[in-house]
């Protein structure tokens, strides 16, 4: 039986494809997938009474309603930290590389300080009222941070951990990622954290100021006249 010319030509072609297959393997596939981990800082809250209410009123600055005296003050500094680990493979020519970034982002308000005016003795009714009010501010900070954790995680994952490794000229991937973290993402995350200021203002409503000032049989109001 005469063989078909088509069947004769297919065999070498299939063999060639089989032999060439391993050469097409992408070395970047050896790398672990990029990842992002988000950690909420959990640090203790410090309490002190080293400042008088006049100093606290000045420290309150723009967040204080005009005409109000600050009896207690809660302040936190927005902190964002990125820990980075990179695994890199350089392709044979030495000109291109693929990099898998493993990122850990930590965020929180640190330090978190609660101030109660020194005019109020610790353990007194006035001290307790002011302190309990400030704890509402602490709780507001904590609730806000927990509330944005998922959105921050999703946003960072969408940017850094979707798809495969990063590719580019040798020696540039790490620097490019680090620069982006510093210039774009740290400011962005701090802005999201500081959105808590609007909620904090609601805690210091005129009604709440009046309630605290008139508590303890008027002892607080008498002292700050």
């Amino acid at each position: 039986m005469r063989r078909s010319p088509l069947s004769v030509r297919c065999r070498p072609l299939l063999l060639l494809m089989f032999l060439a297959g391993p050469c097409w393997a992408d070395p970047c596939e050896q790398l672990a997938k990029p990842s992002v981990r988000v950690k909420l800082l959990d640090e203790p809250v410090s309490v002190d009474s080293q400042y008088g209410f006049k100093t606290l009123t000045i420290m309150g600055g723009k967040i204080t309603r005009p005409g109000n005296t600050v009896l207690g003050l809660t302040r936190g500094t927005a902190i964002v930290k990125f820990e980075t680990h990179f695994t890199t493979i350089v392709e044979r020519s030495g000109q291109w590389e693929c990099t898998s970034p493993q990122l850990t982002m930590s965020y929180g308000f640190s330090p978190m300080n609660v101030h109660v005016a020194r005019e109020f003795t610790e353990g007194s009714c006035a001290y307790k009222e002011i302190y309990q009010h400030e704890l509402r501010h602490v709780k507001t900070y904590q609730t806000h941070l927990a509330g944005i954790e998922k959105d921050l995680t999703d946003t960072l994952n969408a940017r850094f951990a979707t798809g495969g490794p990063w590719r580019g000229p040798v020696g540039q991937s790490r620097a490019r990622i680090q620069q982006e973290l510093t210039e774009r993402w740290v400011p962005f995350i701090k802005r999201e954290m500081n959105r808590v200021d609007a909620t904090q203002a609601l805690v210091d409503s005129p009604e709440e100021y009046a309630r605290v000032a008139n508590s303890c049989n008027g002892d607080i109001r008498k002292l700050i006249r």
Side-chain angles (χ1 to χ4, degrees):
M1 178 181 295
R2 184 179 180 182
R3 293 183 178 179
S4 166
L6 179 62
S7 64
V8 173
R9 292 172 183 169
C10 283
R11 292 179 182 273
L13 178 61
L14 292 174
L15 179 60
L16 178 62
M17 292 176 63
F18 176 77
L19 293 176
C23 297
W24 297 344
D26 185 352
C28 294
E29 293 180 356
Q30 302 174 34
L31 295 175
K33 292 183 178 180
S35 68
V36 173
R37 180 187 178 197
V38 172
K39 293 172 56 179
L40 179 55
L41 295 174
D42 183 16
E43 298 189 9
V45 178
S46 66
V47 182
D48 73 64
S49 299
Q50 62 177 310
Y51 303 113
F53 65 81
K54 292 182 180 180
T55 301
L56 292 182
T57 300
I58 296 172
M59 290 170 60
K62 296 181 180 179
I63 64 174
T64 305
R65 295 177 186 272
N68 285 336
T69 298
V70 176
L71 309 176
L73 182 65
T74 298
R75 299 201 302 178
T77 301
I79 297 295
V80 179
K81 298 185 295 185
F82 278 97
E83 296 177 14
T84 58
H85 176 73
F86 299 93
T87 304
T88 301
I89 292 179
V90 178
E91 58 88 37
R92 291 182 179 180
S93 72
Q95 297 180 344
W96 299 91
E97 67 182 9
C98 48
T99 299
S100 177
Q102 312 295 315
L103 308 178
T104 299
M105 189 275 286
S106 302
Y107 74 110
F109 290 99
S110 178
M112 178 79 74
N113 297 318
V114 170
H115 303 278
V116 178
R118 66 185 174 202
E119 287 85 0
F120 305 102
T121 305
E122 184 175 357
S124 66
C125 174
Y127 183 98
K128 291 178 181 178
E129 283 289 342
I130 297 168
Y131 178 64
Q132 289 300 318
H133 171 84
E134 295 309 314
L135 288 185
R136 290 180 59 190
H137 285 294
V138 173
K139 181 65 175 177
T140 299
Y141 276 120
Q142 294 170 340
T143 300
H144 177 71
L145 292 178
I148 64 175
E149 182 174 3
K150 184 180 185 305
D151 285 343
L152 293 180
T153 301
D154 291 346
T155 300
L156 291 174
N157 269 312
R159 176 66 182 107
F160 293 101
T162 299
W166 290 47
R167 303 168 189 262
V170 168
Q172 294 187 18
S173 298
R174 295 188 184 193
R176 182 160 56 98
I177 293 173
Q178 292 282 17
Q179 181 178 11
E180 182 175 334
L181 292 175
T182 300
E183 296 182 358
R184 176 181 178 184
W185 293 105
V186 170
F188 168 78
I189 294 168
K190 285 187 176 181
R191 287 195 300 270
E192 293 300 303
M193 293 171 66
N194 288 326
R195 291 182 186 276
V196 71
D197 291 345
T199 309
Q200 294 288 17
L202 298 178
V203 177
D204 290 330
S205 65
E207 294 77 14
E208 175 65 5
Y209 264 107
R211 185 195 68 77
V212 173
N214 292 313
S215 62
C216 302
N217 297 318
D219 290 345
I220 296 177
R221 187 172 295 280
K222 294 174 186 177
L223 190 58
I224 63 176
R225 284 178 178 173

